[in-house]
Amino acid sequence: MITLEKNGVYLKNGQIVESGRGLPAPEEARKGTMAYSILSAHNKGDDKKLRIKFDALMSHDITYVGIIQTARASGLTEFPLPYAMTNCHNSLCAVGGTINEDDHIFGLSAAKKYGGIYVPVNQAVIHQYAREAMVKCGSMILGSDSHTRYGALGTMGVGEGGPELVKQLLNNTYDVNMPEVVLVWVEGEVPHGVGPHDVAISLCKAVFANGFVNNKVLEFVGPGIKNLSVDFRNGIDVMTTETTCLSSIWVTDDKVKEYYAKHGKAADFKELKPADTAYYDSMIKIDLSTQECMIALPFHPSNAFTIKEVQKNAKVMAQAFMDKGYKVVSGGTDNHCMLIDLRTKFPELTGKKAENTLVKADITINKNMVPFDSRSPFQTSGIRVGTPAITTRGLKEEDMKVIVDMIDRILSNIDDENVIAEVKKEVNTMMNPRPMFAW
């Protein structure tokens, strides 16, 4: 469960306390956050208008050519800080290993000329390389990719467009107002089967639409962190980009220390934690023990639902089909979809015709082969029906029976245009008040 507290809170000796006697003013106690300490150490401006100089830069092969060419046209003679030119997973998914051969040649020549770090094709992708080779506790990295997040390893990562990296290459600063800092209090232990993206998706759902953390820094603290592996923490952290926060930072512990040592970077580890007293502008509480498995659907991770919601709808729908005489191949469903063998009720009806006719009524399903199918894959004797899309539109268990009734009426009157038109009208009456996800 995730709860939001919009008012400011204090952390005193590692415990959340309400404001009261003996506590410094918020403006003074803000300096006790990890975020304030790291930002101040990299600031060339004042406490309100920050002018940040980063410790290192990261780019992948979709962006670094334009960045370097722009900097070179502006007088670049050498990289003034470590700059790693790596690979994007999107380009590495291409047939043959990469779609950017010329860019890689450019990156290698730029590294030799200006002193950067060139990461060859298929050696590493941008963020994994950063986590293994570039992070340092208390440092800051600027990357030309939105998911530049290394907070779980004690490094504040910021993802920006190429021009901000150009400015750093030209010895200029990253200019931003001092951000608010949000305490992310983590407690409990995740149930078996729950993964980091389940937590991250729940976090996005809680804070995205309302702008709760927009351009703020998330500071992860609390007793639940010790129960998470470093990879689990990284999995949550990388998705904080989708909340619209500026950056993130986590407390570091022995697990992080071990991670640094395994990667030959023991000297770059140091313990990070808030000061004895720290003030936060707002708070998010994450109880890991109540976290459920999640599913996120188009068009953003905040468009999220528990998998249980999807499963409940699917179970009811499968039973409704069986109650009307359809054969559900598995005798029901334990997941989000079901496979229906039409031959039991409509021996002459193909999956292809069922699909095409239902589409005319604005009902989308797929033709599908069934066990021991006597028809070709282009015709099929079955259909596949699922519940994720309709669940995200807000439909509940009671609506599943209505949908099955609509489908049955179409299939029972497969060539009756009047029935098709009637059902189409009912479909749109049901769904028009439930628009596709938008923000």
Side-chain angles (χ1 to χ4, degrees):
M1 178 180 293
I2 294 178
T3 57
L4 308 181
E5 173 55 61
K6 66 180 180 179
N7 297 316
V9 298
Y10 285 88
L11 202 63
K12 180 72 173 177
N13 296 323
Q15 299 297 319
I16 301 167
V17 295
E18 297 181 1
S19 57
R21 293 180 181 178
L23 294 173
E27 283 303 315
E28 182 62 28
R30 278 191 177 94
K31 298 177 182 179
T33 65
M34 295 181 288
Y36 184 94
S37 175
I38 294 171
L39 289 168
S40 297
H42 294 80
N43 182 26
K44 307 302 178 184
D46 58 45
D47 284 350
K48 301 295 184 183
K49 301 287 186 180
L50 304 182
R51 299 175 60 232
I52 301 296
K53 296 293 289 287
F54 287 86
D55 297 293
L57 305 179
M58 298 292 304
S59 287
H60 48 55
D61 51 2
I62 295 177
T63 58
Y64 62 62
V65 173
I67 292 168
I68 295 169
Q69 286 179 329
T70 302
R72 184 169 64 180
S74 303
L76 175 71
T77 57
E78 65 177 358
F79 294 156
L81 72 170
Y83 184 17
M85 292 164 281
T86 68
N87 307 287
C88 178
H89 63 279
N90 291 318
S91 56
L92 291 181
C93 287
V95 175
T98 182
I99 56 175
N100 294 327
E101 292 93 343
D102 292 346
D103 294 345
H104 284 266
I105 294 173
F106 178 90
L108 177 59
S109 64
K112 290 182 176 180
K113 182 173 183 178
Y114 300 117
I117 303 165
Y118 171 72
V119 181
V121 178
N122 295 326
Q123 180 169 308
V125 294
I126 176 171
H127 301 307
Q128 193 58 34
Y129 183 82
R131 293 186 191 106
E132 294 185 8
M134 304 296 288
V135 294
K136 182 178 181 179
C137 288
S139 70
M140 295 188 71
I141 293 177
L142 179 66
S144 55
D145 183 86
S146 60
H147 285 271
T148 303
R149 289 287 185 272
Y150 316 121
L153 298 172
T155 296
M156 288 183 67
V158 177
E160 280 286 358
E164 289 295 345
L165 278 79
V166 173
K167 288 168 62 180
Q168 294 288 311
L169 291 175
L170 298 174
N171 280 309
N172 291 318
T173 56
Y174 177 73
D175 303 332
V176 64
N177 292 334
M178 175 64 82
E180 292 186 6
V181 181
V182 180
L183 172 63
V184 184
W185 182 259
V186 183
E187 58 190 14
E189 189 169 357
V190 291
H192 179 71
V194 169
H197 277 203
D198 296 315
V199 180
I201 289 168
S202 295
L203 180 59
C204 290
K205 183 178 179 68
V207 302
F208 176 78
N210 56 22
F212 192 79
V213 301
N214 188 35
N215 289 327
K216 301 174 185 179
V217 176
L218 302 185
E219 186 154 311
F220 288 78
V221 182
I225 292 177
K226 70 176 184 298
N227 299 321
L228 303 176
S229 69
V230 172
D231 282 340
F232 201 111
R233 300 176 202 183
N234 285 335
I236 297 172
D237 189 60
V238 71
M239 286 293 288
T240 60
T241 291
E242 304 295 346
T243 69
T244 72
C245 72
L246 177 69
S247 188
S248 62
I249 190 67
W250 295 53
V251 293
T252 58
D253 55 15
D254 286 342
K255 288 184 179 180
V256 178
K257 184 178 181 179
E258 181 183 9
Y259 179 95
Y260 272 83
K262 285 182 176 178
H263 291 87
K265 294 170 62 64
D268 292 331
F269 171 83
K270 70 176 179 180
E271 183 183 15
L272 297 180
K273 61 180 182 179
D276 290 343
T277 303
Y279 179 82
Y280 297 87
D281 297 282
S282 53
M283 178 175 64
I284 301 168
K285 274 191 174 182
I286 300 178
D287 182 357
L288 296 173
S289 65
T290 61
Q291 179 64 53
E292 295 189 40
C293 295
M294 304 293 293
I295 183 170
L297 290 118
F299 299 92
H300 189 268
S302 61
N303 185 25
F305 297 81
T306 65
I307 289 178
K308 282 184 179 179
E309 293 176 79
V310 178
Q311 289 174 318
K312 285 180 182 178
N313 281 347
K315 283 182 178 295
V316 172
M317 178 175 280
Q319 187 60 52
F321 273 116
M322 291 188 289
D323 290 344
K324 287 187 174 292
Y326 290 89
K327 179 183 179 182
V328 177
V329 169
S330 55
T333 182
D334 292 319
N335 56 35
H336 64 284
C337 64
M338 62 217 70
L339 180 60
I340 298 168
D341 190 335
L342 296 171
R343 293 175 298 186
T344 303
K345 189 167 183 177
F346 303 109
E348 303 304 318
L349 180 60
T350 67
K352 180 178 180 179
K353 182 159 187 177
E355 176 184 340
N356 291 340
T357 307
L358 287 165
V359 165
K360 291 166 66 176
D362 289 344
I363 299 174
T364 303
I365 57 93
N366 297 102
K367 65 179 184 293
N368 208 98
M369 296 282 285
V370 294
F372 307 106
D373 204 324
S374 56
R375 295 187 173 96
S376 78
F378 301 102
Q379 295 296 324
T380 82
S381 298
I383 58 174
R384 186 177 75 251
V385 186
T387 56
I390 53 178
T391 302
T392 64
R393 298 280 290 273
L395 296 185
K396 303 297 183 182
E397 290 134 282
E398 58 269 19
D399 299 309
M400 301 302 107
K401 297 178 181 180
V402 176
I403 293 172
V404 170
D405 182 68
M406 291 176 178
I407 293 173
D408 181 58
R409 283 158 57 200
I410 293 287
L411 299 184
S412 298
N413 301 275
I414 198 70
D415 294 313
D416 191 327
E417 295 296 330
N418 290 328
V419 172
I420 294 170
E422 180 182 290
V423 171
K424 180 177 181 178
K425 183 177 180 180
E426 293 174 17
V427 168
N428 284 277
T429 299
M430 172 184 274
M431 301 310 297
N432 283 344
R434 300 175 169 96
M436 296 286 284
F437 175 80
W439 70 96

